[in-house]
Amino acid sequence: IRSIVRQSKFRHVFGQAVKTDQTYDDIRVSKVTWDSSFCAVNPKFLAVIVESSGGGAFLVLLLSKVGRVDKNYPLVIGHSGPVLDIDWCPHNDNILASCSEDTTAMVWQIPDHTPSRPISEPIVVLEGHSKRVGIIKWHPTARNILLTAGSDNLIIIWNVGTGEPLITMDDHPDLIYNVSWNYNGSLFCTTCKDRRLRVCDPRKNEVVAERLSPHEGIRPMRAIFTKEGNIFTTGFTRMSQRELGLWDPTNFEEPIALLELDTSNGVLLPFYDPDTNIVYLSGKGDSSVRYFEITEEPPYVHYISTFSSKEPQRGMGFMPKRGVDVSKCEIARLYKLHERKCEPIMMTVPRKSDLFQDDLYPDTAGPEPALEPEEWMDRRDADPLLVSMRDGYVPPKSRELKVAKKNVLDTRPATRRSMSAVDGSSLPVSRMSCLSLPQLLEKLVEEIQNLKATVLSQEKRICDLENKLSKYTNGTV
C-alpha cells in the first residue's frame, strides 16, 4: 500500500528566533524604497544597509558582536548616494560588493577586527552604468567575476581583479527586477518590468530562452535557478494574488507547477538552499517566512511550514550553508531586519541523536573558486568546489583580494572621499611582505604610534577651537 504521507526528511523543519540577547539592536535600517534584501551575511560578518545623511552607508558587524550597536560604530561610507544592494564574495569572506544610486559599484576589503574609524576606501570602484545600480551578484564558481544591473537597463559583468568590464548586455527594454546565476554560473535568469522572464548566456551575449508573463499580474516578479536547472518564480495573478511557479527553461510553454498563495501586496523574495532544495519566501512587510521543498515528484513544490512572528520584516539575509550550526541540526539561518534591529532565525530539523546527521548535510559549496576569470571567459564551466560539514565549518583567515595582471590599484588615482594618508608612514603591502617579522612588527607599532599622535594633536586642536568658540559665544572676547 502506498504511503499517504510524503516521505521527506525536511517535512518537519522548525523555525525559531534566537533569544533577545542574541539579536543585533539599534541598527537604523535604510528606508530607501527598493526591493532588495538590505542585508547580507556570511560565516564571519553581518552587513546591513543603513540610514545615512549625505551619501550611502552600510554597517558591517562581526557575527559575534550581538547586542546593542554603538551609535558611533564606524560605517562603510564610500558611496555618494543611497546604497541599494550588497553581496558577500562566496570565495573570500572579507570581500563585500555594494552598489548605489550614485551609478557606481564598489568592492571592499573588510578587516577581521572592528575598525576604529569609518571605512571609506574601496579596493575597486566600478564605473560603467549611467543610472543607479540596483542589483549586484557575485559569480558562484569563478574568482573575481561580479555582475551588476542598473536602471539604465544594462547588465555588466566585471573582473574585479582588474576593474574592467568583460561583458555588457543591453537586451532588457525596461527596469530589471532581479538576476540569479545558475548552479555553475554558465547562465543567469532575469525578471523585468516588461513582464518577461529571460535566460541569458553572458559569454554568448544573448538571451537563450524567454517567457512572457509567467505570472499574469503587473506587480514585480522574482526568479531563481534551482540546482537542477529549473527556474522558481514568485509573482502576482491578474487579481493581485501572490503566486509561485516552477518552470523548465527548455520548455517554457507550461509551468511544472503554479500555485496561488494569498492576497498580500509585498514582493516575495526567495532564498534558496541548493543542498536541501528548500526555498524560503520572505515578503517585505510580511511578518512570516514560508518555506517549500522542491522535488521531482508531483506536486513538485511542497509547502512545509510557516515561521510567524509579530513584527513585519524590512529585509532579510540568508547564511551560506557553511555558516550554520551542525551540532544543533540547523539547516538554514535567516537574518530578519526590523526597523531598528536584526534578528537571526534558526531553521532546524529536530533529531534525538547528538551525532553528525550526514543525511541533512551533503557536502556544500566551499570558499575556493573552481575557475579563474580567464577560464570562465574561455567558456569553461565548473560546479562549486564542495567541502564537508562533518566537523562544522571553520572560516579561513582573512585573505587579500588577489589582483590579476593589470592592477587597477596601481593606476587609479585615490578614490573620492579618501582620507589623506598619515605622514606617509603607511607601507604598501608589497614592501611589507619583504620585511622580516620583527621589522614588520616594529613598523606596525611605529605606524600605530604615529596615528595615535596625529589623533591626539587633532583632538587638542578641536579642544582649542571649541574653547575659542565658547569664549565668543559667551561674550568674553
Side-chain angles (χ1 to χ4, degrees):
I1 298 167
R2 192 167 154 272
S3 167
I4 296 186
V5 177
R6 187 175 71 91
Q7 294 299 307
S8 168
K9 51 186 169 279
F10 302 117
R11 268 189 30 239
H12 303 290
V13 177
F14 178 64
Q16 187 172 25
V18 298
K19 294 187 170 69
T20 49
D21 63 352
Q22 294 299 301
T23 61
Y24 305 85
D25 300 321
D26 270 4
I27 297 173
R28 296 187 308 142
V29 177
S30 173
K31 291 189 172 68
V32 69
T33 49
W34 187 251
D35 276 328
S36 78
S37 58
F38 287 8
C39 180
V41 62
N42 72 18
K44 281 188 183 181
F45 298 105
L46 167 70
V48 179
I49 302 173
V50 293
E51 283 285 276
S52 118
S53 53
F58 55 92
L59 169 74
V60 179
L61 296 170
L62 284 163
L63 277 193
S64 56
K65 200 163 177 61
V66 294
R68 195 176 152 274
V69 178
D70 189 292
K71 69 176 191 298
N72 296 319
Y73 192 91
L75 302 174
V76 183
I77 57 166
H79 285 287
S80 59
V83 177
L84 299 176
D85 198 14
I86 49 178
D87 196 29
W88 286 106
C89 176
H91 308 127
N92 186 332
D93 284 343
N94 293 75
I95 298 290
L96 179 106
S98 61
C99 61
S100 163
E101 274 191 22
D102 67 9
T103 77
T104 70
M106 295 182 180
V107 180
W108 307 85
Q109 176 110 23
I110 305 297
D112 280 334
H113 57 84
T114 300
S116 56
R117 59 175 65 197
I119 298 173
S120 60
E121 292 280 353
I123 322 174
V124 187
V125 180
L126 304 173
E127 296 172 311
H129 289 281
S130 59
K131 292 186 178 175
R132 67 180 177 180
V133 187
I135 295 167
I136 198 154
K137 283 275 184 296
W138 289 96
H139 191 280
T141 64
R143 187 195 307 276
N144 289 352
I145 299 290
L146 180 68
L147 178 152
T148 58
S151 294
D152 51 7
N153 308 335
L154 292 183
I155 290 175
I156 304 179
I157 294 173
W158 310 81
N159 177 351
V160 300
T162 61
E164 295 171 316
L166 302 174
I167 297 162
T168 301
M169 296 189 71
D170 60 358
D171 305 271
H172 296 76
D174 211 331
L175 181 68
I176 300 160
Y177 287 140
N178 92 298
V179 178
S180 167
W181 290 101
N182 68 352
Y183 187 62
N184 69 1
S186 57
L187 303 169
F188 59 80
C189 65
T190 66
T191 56
C192 178
K193 199 173 180 179
D194 72 350
R195 296 169 62 197
R196 287 181 186 271
L197 165 62
R198 291 175 173 84
V199 179
C200 303
D201 182 332
R203 292 164 301 183
K204 284 185 180 169
N205 209 319
E206 66 181 50
V207 175
V208 292
E210 64 181 311
R211 159 82 204 208
L212 176 62
S213 301
H215 300 282
E216 294 284 325
I218 57 170
R219 311 268 338 271
M221 293 182 293
R222 286 286 182 279
I224 51 168
F225 263 110
T226 69
K227 189 176 180 179
E228 285 71 34
N230 292 326
I231 295 175
F232 178 88
T233 59
T234 71
F236 294 81
T237 66
R238 199 175 272 133
M239 306 300 291
S240 291
Q241 288 266 104
R242 289 200 292 199
E243 192 174 47
L244 314 179
L246 187 66
W247 305 83
D248 174 358
T250 62
N251 177 18
F252 263 148
E253 289 304 306
E254 289 295 319
I256 299 170
L258 199 63
L259 56 153
E260 288 184 13
L261 275 189
D262 57 19
T263 49
S264 187
N265 59 5
V267 176
L268 283 168
L269 305 183
F271 297 94
Y272 172 69
D273 174 8
D275 301 341
T276 59
N277 252 325
I278 295 177
V279 63
Y280 301 85
L281 298 180
S282 153
K284 277 204 172 181
D286 289 7
S287 52
S288 63
V289 176
R290 268 171 282 209
Y291 37 108
F292 296 79
E293 185 180 358
I294 299 170
T295 68
E296 291 179 351
E297 70 273 354
Y300 306 106
V301 179
H302 304 265
Y303 171 72
I304 301 174
S305 188
T306 300
F307 167 80
S308 295
S309 56
K310 293 193 180 94
E311 298 288 320
Q313 53 237 13
R314 294 281 297 278
M316 192 72 76
F318 190 62
M319 175 67 80
K321 182 55 70 68
R322 55 196 175 86
V324 302
D325 188 343
V326 296
S327 65
K328 293 183 176 151
C329 293
E330 181 183 31
I331 60 162
R333 193 182 313 149
L334 296 120
Y335 285 72
K336 173 180 170 176
L337 296 186
H338 298 241
E339 206 166 315
R340 299 284 304 201
K341 73 172 179 181
C342 176
E343 175 185 47
I345 298 164
M346 298 172 66
M347 297 289 178
T348 55
V349 177
R351 292 276 167 97
K352 291 189 174 121
S353 167
D354 288 337
L355 298 174
F356 176 71
Q357 306 292 314
D358 53 8
D359 64 322
L360 296 183
Y361 299 107
D363 289 355
T364 192
E368 290 301 320
L371 296 170
E372 294 300 322
E374 299 76 20
E375 294 176 306
W376 184 74
M377 283 301 288
D378 286 342
R379 299 203 59 80
R380 285 266 307 276
D381 291 322
D383 285 351
L385 299 180
L386 305 181
V387 294
S388 169
M389 295 286 290
R390 180 169 289 278
D391 302 316
Y393 177 74
V394 181
K397 293 277 191 292
S398 171
R399 296 177 294 173
E400 292 282 317
L401 174 67
K402 289 181 183 170
V403 179
K405 293 185 181 171
K406 179 172 77 89
N407 184 344
V408 65
L409 311 181
D410 292 340
T411 54
R412 173 174 286 283
T415 48
R416 298 186 310 283
R417 301 166 60 109
S418 65
M419 297 194 174
S420 56
V422 179
D423 63 27
S425 65
S426 299
L427 281 174
V429 173
S430 55
R431 273 185 57 202
M432 278 197 170
S433 60
C434 303
L435 299 175
S436 67
L437 188 59
Q439 288 175 306
L440 182 60
L441 291 172
E442 196 179 313
K443 285 288 175 193
L444 287 171
V445 168
E446 184 187 330
E447 182 168 352
I448 288 167
Q449 285 169 344
N450 286 337
L451 286 166
K452 281 182 173 171
T454 307
V455 169
L456 282 171
S457 67
Q458 299 293 351
E459 283 178 348
K460 184 174 181 304
R461 175 83 177 128
I462 289 167
C463 207
D464 291 346
L465 289 170
E466 282 176 339
N467 287 338
K468 195 175 281 188
L469 183 67
S470 65
K471 284 177 184 171
Y472 280 116
T473 52
N474 293 338
T476 53
V477 174

